[in-house]
Amino acid sequence: MAGTDIDRVLEAAALLDIAEVQLFRQAYRRWFGRHIDEVRLDRLFCAYMFVGAVPYWVRDYSRQVLEQAARHRLDPVKFGVVPRLVRRSALGLCMLLGPFAVLAVLVWLADWALRALPGAPSCLFPPCY
């Protein structure tokens, strides 16, 4: 578990699959028993980002996460992290298949337009014999 405080924060956030700022929120809630106000969080997180200042309660929270992970007993729920549900949506399928559908329509329109023109070639796509 060697490394700087920043390395420990980064590793703990990765193990919990949360952003570093969320790790700060969770650590504050665990240490003080209440939510941190956003102005204070912004000030503390900016000091962490630009100067590398890690508050003692974040250091302790990160240490506990890393110790549990080293023992293969890390349960994110015990650290206040609710697992994200992966939702399959139609949007992802549309984003995947949409460009292919648009391309197919464009090819069809090009074929239709060229066939409608007088004197258009009888074969548009290779192989043309």
Side-chain angles (χ1 to χ4, degrees), residues 43-56:
R43 187 170 39 83
L44 291 166
F45 194 71
C46 283
Y48 161 74
M49 291 296 294
F50 296 113
V51 183
V54 179
Y56 60 91

Side-chain angles (χ1 to χ4, degrees), residues 22 24-38 40-41 57 80:
Q22 185 63 28
F24 270 62
R25 279 190 188 98
Q26 296 299 100
Y28 189 90
R29 186 177 312 134
R30 187 175 178 112
W31 187 272
F32 295 102
R34 57 181 157 63
H35 294 280
I36 187 171
D37 65 282
E38 290 300 313
R40 180 171 168 83
L41 177 64
W57 37 272

Side-chain angles (χ1 to χ4, degrees), residues 100-115 124-125:
F100 294 110
V102 169
L103 183 62
V105 168
L106 290 174
V107 168
W108 178 79
L109 282 173
D111 181 53
W112 175 80
L114 286 174
R115 289 180 195 268
L124 300 174
F125 300 107

